[in-house]
Amino acid sequence: MTERRRVDNFGAGPAALPLEVLEQAQAEFVVYKDAGMSVMEMSHRSKAYEEIHQRAEALLRELLAVPDDYAVLFLQGGASLQFGMVPLNFLTAGRRASYVLTGHFAEKAYEDAKVVGEVHVAASTKDDGYRRLPSVEELQWDEADAYLHITSNNTIFGTQWRSFPDTGRVPLVADMSSDILSRPIDVAKFGLIYAGAQKNLGPSGVTVVIARQAWLETCRKDIPKMLRYDVHAKNRSLYNTPPTFSIYMMGLVLAWVKAQGGVTEMARRAEEKSARIYGVIDESDGFYLGYADPGSRSRMNVTFRLRTPELEQAFLAAAKDAGFVGLNGHRSVGGCRVSLYNAVTLEATERLAEFMRDFARKNG
Ligand SMILES: *Cc1c(COP(=O)(O)O)cnc(C)c1O
């Protein structure tokens, strides 16, 4: 048998999963507990699956301290379907929604909303190359807006909101795909949060939506049922067949996060890990050029460049040879990116920091 070594995976998504989770899934893969079959083979109406489904929801509620008047939904279609579902449900005729443009995914959400109704740009940092986030004072929105949409962590540019705007009666909607579960959040500040699972929650295939129940019920009813939040909430995400195996895997990841100390501990680790990489960048005398403005830096995705594309290619190739993968920037912007999601260990991060220092020494 060939050696099957696990690399240090800093990919942006789908991303690293905790080894313990993969091993538990492996142990239960063919026969799940006393079910006599794999999770993938069971009815989504069976008692065994019902328990998996409820446990994942309960763990997510516990870890994020989701208030009781919020629904937790497990949907499909990725965060990308939420770009369309949010306006389809809430951007009704005569209303306007405001969007904060801070990167690629924020733009995509805005473009999809534009197809549905009237949209307004509350702020954009595009002219700054999306290197920074707008300050709360820069945001222009209106009390009459249907909602205000933000992206809590900009995966491609490497910026992250530290605190969130207070929007009062206007529901705040946040795409948290790349930083959910990496820090405590006050869910009550938001009307709706959505996140594809494949960065911090589990494998791809399931999308989490956390929404204020009372707002959710005001959604449009003259759209196909699969697109209606109220239909999914009423059926506890079992209106149709949910992505059962992805939800099972997410449940294992959630249990792992809880055992590690919850989101407070995830936040502590994210701070520590990102400080290691930013430290190398800042102490490299311009060998590594951090992309995001220091005040807007993300603890999940560290973006940087090297002085020339040739040097960048040499860095990525040498890193790959040394067992570090997933370091290339998004195809739309190039450069390098270190994604430090929950399952990425401090040890792996330290190995990479040491490699980066060494590469700079040899090539500086
Ligand atoms: C990855 C990502 C998306 C896209 O998610 P899909 O699940 O592939 O649709 C959207 N928004 C953000 C912030 C992301 O990081």
Side-chain angles (χ1 to χ4, degrees), residues 12-13 77-83 105-106 108 151-156 175-179 194-199 204-207 301 341:
S80 299
L81 185 59
Q82 296 307 305
F83 298 162
F105 293 114
K108 288 180 101 172
T151 312
S152 63
N153 183 71
N154 297 280
T155 325
I156 294 175
D175 176 357
M176 289 197 187
S177 293
S178 52
D179 70 350
Y194 62 89
Q198 67 272 21
K199 280 111 186 199
S204 62
V206 59
T207 307
N301 309 97
Y341 302 126

Side-chain angles (χ1 to χ4, degrees), residues 262-340:
V263 288
T264 318
E265 173 62 13
M266 294 300 118
R268 192 193 65 72
R269 291 183 190 180
E271 191 176 342
E272 191 172 359
K273 289 182 288 181
S274 59
R276 298 296 160 106
I277 305 298
Y278 286 124
V280 174
I281 292 171
D282 292 341
E283 288 155 22
S284 72
D285 267 335
F287 184 84
Y288 298 109
L289 306 158
Y291 186 78
D293 282 0
S296 297
R297 281 175 167 177
S298 167
R299 289 182 179 148
M300 292 283 106
N301 309 97
V302 177
T303 49
F304 61 92
R305 292 191 170 155
L306 280 79
R307 275 193 295 263
T308 65
E310 293 71 34
L311 200 52
E312 254 162 32
Q313 286 315 311
F315 171 77
L316 292 170
K320 192 160 179 244
D321 284 345
F324 304 107
V325 307
L327 292 172
N328 44 308
H330 189 262
R331 55 195 154 77
S332 64
V333 296
C336 307
R337 170 172 54 175
V338 181
S339 297
L340 299 169

